[in-house]
Amino acid sequence: NYLEGLSSDTKIISSEDLKGIFADIKTIHQLNLAFLNDLESRTSSYNGSKTRIGDHFVKFCPYFRMYQNYCNNYDNAMVLLTKYSEKQSFNTLCLEIRDKCNGKTLQSLLILPIQRLPRYKLCLTEIVKNTENNHPDIIDLKRALELVEETTTLINERMKEYEARQQVREIEARFEKRVSFVKPHRKFK
């Protein structure tokens, strides 16, 4: 994988910049492994009229908020990638790693966590739409869909707030004298 491959040579990319690119990816990966393992154990003996997954989504929904920091950091990660893509040694190493990753670029993999929650929303929407109203899982499925929608909306709102605060910081940095525009209530509109 890219994280391990790029970690192997600190002359090519600093460990600080590596953290800047990959942010909370290890935590998100562990969360998704646990989610997948639980889901697979639920569906291993699938029975269309009895198997339940809605409560599983409901249980994991609070943890999906972990995506917030990753989403907030995504633009910074892309800036770092652009900076390093100007280095031949970085590009050469990325090409080697890409061959081991089924030809997927680092950029194409880094966007996946951001796309995850909207995909869960689409998936749950389809499951709810195709589940009978008397199925034992329908209530939890509908609740899970609500929670995923709420979490996605919350993350999107917080990303907008974060971006607005970043714009205030950028304006503040333009002044030669030290000024302090950044306050919790201030945002750029």
PDB file of all heavy atoms in Angstrom, residues 11 25 41 49-50 55 61 70 91 105 108 124 129 139 142 167 176 179:
ATOM      1  N   LYS A  11      13.720  10.288   2.992  1.00  0.00           N
ATOM      2  CA  LYS A  11      14.410  11.255   2.129  1.00  0.00           C
ATOM      3  C   LYS A  11      13.476  11.710   1.007  1.00  0.00           C
ATOM      4  O   LYS A  11      13.615  12.802   0.479  1.00  0.00           O
ATOM      5  CB  LYS A  11      15.678  10.641   1.529  1.00  0.00           C
ATOM      6  CG  LYS A  11      16.757  10.375   2.545  1.00  0.00           C
ATOM      7  CD  LYS A  11      17.960   9.717   1.896  1.00  0.00           C
ATOM      8  CE  LYS A  11      18.918   9.248   2.975  1.00  0.00           C
ATOM      9  NZ  LYS A  11      19.569   8.004   2.631  1.00  0.00           N
ATOM     10  N   ILE A  25      -6.208   7.962   8.261  1.00  0.00           N
ATOM     11  CA  ILE A  25      -6.536   6.811   7.400  1.00  0.00           C
ATOM     12  C   ILE A  25      -6.435   5.476   8.140  1.00  0.00           C
ATOM     13  O   ILE A  25      -7.253   4.587   7.912  1.00  0.00           O
ATOM     14  CB  ILE A  25      -5.686   6.823   6.101  1.00  0.00           C
ATOM     15  CG1 ILE A  25      -6.376   5.995   5.017  1.00  0.00           C
ATOM     16  CG2 ILE A  25      -4.281   6.336   6.336  1.00  0.00           C
ATOM     17  CD1 ILE A  25      -7.536   6.651   4.394  1.00  0.00           C
ATOM     18  N   SER A  41     -20.171 -11.478   9.440  1.00  0.00           N
ATOM     19  CA  SER A  41     -20.645 -12.500  10.384  1.00  0.00           C
ATOM     20  C   SER A  41     -22.173 -12.534  10.409  1.00  0.00           C
ATOM     21  O   SER A  41     -22.775 -13.589  10.574  1.00  0.00           O
ATOM     22  CB  SER A  41     -20.076 -12.273  11.785  1.00  0.00           C
ATOM     23  OG  SER A  41     -20.659 -11.148  12.391  1.00  0.00           O
ATOM     24  N   SER A  49     -35.734 -13.547   5.313  1.00  0.00           N
ATOM     25  CA  SER A  49     -36.834 -13.091   6.167  1.00  0.00           C
ATOM     26  C   SER A  49     -36.396 -12.818   7.608  1.00  0.00           C
ATOM     27  O   SER A  49     -37.154 -12.246   8.379  1.00  0.00           O
ATOM     28  CB  SER A  49     -37.963 -14.123   6.167  1.00  0.00           C
ATOM     29  OG  SER A  49     -37.491 -15.342   6.694  1.00  0.00           O
ATOM     30  N   LYS A  50     -35.152 -13.214   7.964  1.00  0.00           N
ATOM     31  CA  LYS A  50     -34.714 -13.053   9.354  1.00  0.00           C
ATOM     32  C   LYS A  50     -33.426 -12.250   9.525  1.00  0.00           C
ATOM     33  O   LYS A  50     -33.219 -11.638  10.572  1.00  0.00           O
ATOM     34  CB  LYS A  50     -34.503 -14.429   9.998  1.00  0.00           C
ATOM     35  CG  LYS A  50     -35.768 -15.222  10.169  1.00  0.00           C
ATOM     36  CD  LYS A  50     -35.480 -16.539  10.829  1.00  0.00           C
ATOM     37  CE  LYS A  50     -36.743 -17.377  10.934  1.00  0.00           C
ATOM     38  NZ  LYS A  50     -36.465 -18.700  11.454  1.00  0.00           N
ATOM     39  N   ASP A  55     -29.557  -2.781  12.579  1.00  0.00           N
ATOM     40  CA  ASP A  55     -29.031  -2.469  13.912  1.00  0.00           C
ATOM     41  C   ASP A  55     -27.508  -2.372  13.901  1.00  0.00           C
ATOM     42  O   ASP A  55     -26.917  -1.630  14.687  1.00  0.00           O
ATOM     43  CB  ASP A  55     -29.512  -3.481  14.938  1.00  0.00           C
ATOM     44  CG  ASP A  55     -29.056  -4.902  14.642  1.00  0.00           C
ATOM     45  OD1 ASP A  55     -28.950  -5.263  13.445  1.00  0.00           O
ATOM     46  OD2 ASP A  55     -28.813  -5.659  15.603  1.00  0.00           O
ATOM     47  N   CYS A  61     -22.916   3.954  13.345  1.00  0.00           N
ATOM     48  CA  CYS A  61     -23.093   5.329  12.871  1.00  0.00           C
ATOM     49  C   CYS A  61     -22.344   6.383  13.706  1.00  0.00           C
ATOM     50  O   CYS A  61     -21.734   7.281  13.124  1.00  0.00           O
ATOM     51  CB  CYS A  61     -24.563   5.696  12.766  1.00  0.00           C
ATOM     52  SG  CYS A  61     -25.238   5.219  11.158  1.00  0.00           S
ATOM     53  N   TYR A  70     -10.547  13.642   8.514  1.00  0.00           N
ATOM     54  CA  TYR A  70     -10.015  13.233   7.219  1.00  0.00           C
ATOM     55  C   TYR A  70     -10.568  14.135   6.110  1.00  0.00           C
ATOM     56  O   TYR A  70      -9.822  14.623   5.255  1.00  0.00           O
ATOM     57  CB  TYR A  70     -10.359  11.770   6.930  1.00  0.00           C
ATOM     58  CG  TYR A  70      -9.723  11.269   5.656  1.00  0.00           C
ATOM     59  CD1 TYR A  70      -8.442  10.736   5.688  1.00  0.00           C
ATOM     60  CD2 TYR A  70     -10.377  11.369   4.443  1.00  0.00           C
ATOM     61  CE1 TYR A  70      -7.832  10.302   4.522  1.00  0.00           C
ATOM     62  CE2 TYR A  70      -9.782  10.940   3.272  1.00  0.00           C
ATOM     63  CZ  TYR A  70      -8.512  10.404   3.312  1.00  0.00           C
ATOM     64  OH  TYR A  70      -7.907   9.989   2.149  1.00  0.00           O
ATOM     65  N   ASN A  91       7.605  10.458  -7.625  1.00  0.00           N
ATOM     66  CA  ASN A  91       6.818   9.883  -8.730  1.00  0.00           C
ATOM     67  C   ASN A  91       7.262   8.463  -9.051  1.00  0.00           C
ATOM     68  O   ASN A  91       6.422   7.589  -9.308  1.00  0.00           O
ATOM     69  CB  ASN A  91       6.920  10.764  -9.975  1.00  0.00           C
ATOM     70  CG  ASN A  91       6.160  12.057  -9.810  1.00  0.00           C
ATOM     71  OD1 ASN A  91       5.157  12.115  -9.115  1.00  0.00           O
ATOM     72  ND2 ASN A  91       6.648  13.113 -10.434  1.00  0.00           N
ATOM     73  N   THR A 105      -4.055   4.984  -8.597  1.00  0.00           N
ATOM     74  CA  THR A 105      -3.198   6.079  -8.164  1.00  0.00           C
ATOM     75  C   THR A 105      -3.479   6.409  -6.701  1.00  0.00           C
ATOM     76  O   THR A 105      -4.554   6.079  -6.174  1.00  0.00           O
ATOM     77  CB  THR A 105      -3.437   7.347  -9.002  1.00  0.00           C
ATOM     78  OG1 THR A 105      -4.772   7.800  -8.768  1.00  0.00           O
ATOM     79  CG2 THR A 105      -3.196   7.089 -10.489  1.00  0.00           C
ATOM     80  N   SER A 108      -6.615   8.516  -6.401  1.00  0.00           N
ATOM     81  CA  SER A 108      -7.874   7.778  -6.556  1.00  0.00           C
ATOM     82  C   SER A 108      -8.228   6.995  -5.293  1.00  0.00           C
ATOM     83  O   SER A 108      -9.407   6.742  -5.034  1.00  0.00           O
ATOM     84  CB  SER A 108      -7.807   6.834  -7.758  1.00  0.00           C
ATOM     85  OG  SER A 108      -6.937   5.753  -7.516  1.00  0.00           O
ATOM     86  N   LEU A 124     -28.196   2.108   1.658  1.00  0.00           N
ATOM     87  CA  LEU A 124     -29.305   1.962   2.608  1.00  0.00           C
ATOM     88  C   LEU A 124     -30.628   2.418   2.003  1.00  0.00           C
ATOM     89  O   LEU A 124     -31.670   1.813   2.274  1.00  0.00           O
ATOM     90  CB  LEU A 124     -29.015   2.743   3.895  1.00  0.00           C
ATOM     91  CG  LEU A 124     -28.028   2.076   4.846  1.00  0.00           C
ATOM     92  CD1 LEU A 124     -27.566   3.058   5.922  1.00  0.00           C
ATOM     93  CD2 LEU A 124     -28.626   0.828   5.478  1.00  0.00           C
ATOM     94  N   LYS A 129     -35.850   0.731   0.324  1.00  0.00           N
ATOM     95  CA  LYS A 129     -36.843   0.744  -0.764  1.00  0.00           C
ATOM     96  C   LYS A 129     -37.263  -0.677  -1.148  1.00  0.00           C
ATOM     97  O   LYS A 129     -38.410  -0.906  -1.513  1.00  0.00           O
ATOM     98  CB  LYS A 129     -36.241   1.470  -1.973  1.00  0.00           C
ATOM     99  CG  LYS A 129     -37.215   1.707  -3.102  1.00  0.00           C
ATOM    100  CD  LYS A 129     -36.658   2.681  -4.122  1.00  0.00           C
ATOM    101  CE  LYS A 129     -35.727   1.957  -5.061  1.00  0.00           C
ATOM    102  NZ  LYS A 129     -35.214   2.807  -6.144  1.00  0.00           N
ATOM    103  N   ILE A 139     -37.393  -1.242  10.627  1.00  0.00           N
ATOM    104  CA  ILE A 139     -37.305  -0.095  11.542  1.00  0.00           C
ATOM    105  C   ILE A 139     -35.845   0.324  11.732  1.00  0.00           C
ATOM    106  O   ILE A 139     -35.507   1.505  11.643  1.00  0.00           O
ATOM    107  CB  ILE A 139     -37.997  -0.404  12.896  1.00  0.00           C
ATOM    108  CG1 ILE A 139     -39.505  -0.538  12.672  1.00  0.00           C
ATOM    109  CG2 ILE A 139     -37.693   0.672  13.932  1.00  0.00           C
ATOM    110  CD1 ILE A 139     -40.275  -1.069  13.865  1.00  0.00           C
ATOM    111  N   LYS A 142     -34.429   1.904   8.506  1.00  0.00           N
ATOM    112  CA  LYS A 142     -34.854   3.300   8.342  1.00  0.00           C
ATOM    113  C   LYS A 142     -34.108   4.208   9.318  1.00  0.00           C
ATOM    114  O   LYS A 142     -33.699   5.316   8.958  1.00  0.00           O
ATOM    115  CB  LYS A 142     -36.368   3.431   8.536  1.00  0.00           C
ATOM    116  CG  LYS A 142     -37.162   2.879   7.368  1.00  0.00           C
ATOM    117  CD  LYS A 142     -38.660   3.012   7.594  1.00  0.00           C
ATOM    118  CE  LYS A 142     -39.427   2.503   6.387  1.00  0.00           C
ATOM    119  NZ  LYS A 142     -40.895   2.582   6.591  1.00  0.00           N
ATOM    120  N   GLN A 167     -10.323  30.333   5.354  1.00  0.00           N
ATOM    121  CA  GLN A 167     -10.269  31.557   4.553  1.00  0.00           C
ATOM    122  C   GLN A 167      -9.951  32.760   5.436  1.00  0.00           C
ATOM    123  O   GLN A 167      -9.194  33.642   5.041  1.00  0.00           O
ATOM    124  CB  GLN A 167     -11.585  31.765   3.806  1.00  0.00           C
ATOM    125  CG  GLN A 167     -11.755  30.808   2.648  1.00  0.00           C
ATOM    126  CD  GLN A 167     -13.078  31.010   1.937  1.00  0.00           C
ATOM    127  OE1 GLN A 167     -14.125  31.069   2.557  1.00  0.00           O
ATOM    128  NE2 GLN A 167     -13.015  31.101   0.612  1.00  0.00           N
ATOM    129  N   GLU A 176       1.009  42.296   7.419  1.00  0.00           N
ATOM    130  CA  GLU A 176       2.380  42.286   7.911  1.00  0.00           C
ATOM    131  C   GLU A 176       2.404  42.335   9.432  1.00  0.00           C
ATOM    132  O   GLU A 176       3.186  41.643  10.066  1.00  0.00           O
ATOM    133  CB  GLU A 176       3.158  43.470   7.329  1.00  0.00           C
ATOM    134  CG  GLU A 176       3.493  43.265   5.866  1.00  0.00           C
ATOM    135  CD  GLU A 176       4.329  44.398   5.315  1.00  0.00           C
ATOM    136  OE1 GLU A 176       5.065  45.054   6.073  1.00  0.00           O
ATOM    137  OE2 GLU A 176       4.226  44.623   4.099  1.00  0.00           O
ATOM    138  N   VAL A 179      -2.223  40.389  13.328  1.00  0.00           N
ATOM    139  CA  VAL A 179      -3.629  40.655  13.615  1.00  0.00           C
ATOM    140  C   VAL A 179      -4.300  39.324  13.918  1.00  0.00           C
ATOM    141  O   VAL A 179      -3.827  38.274  13.512  1.00  0.00           O
ATOM    142  CB  VAL A 179      -4.354  41.362  12.447  1.00  0.00           C
ATOM    143  CG1 VAL A 179      -3.799  42.745  12.223  1.00  0.00           C
ATOM    144  CG2 VAL A 179      -4.289  40.541  11.189  1.00  0.00           C
TER     145      VAL A 179
END
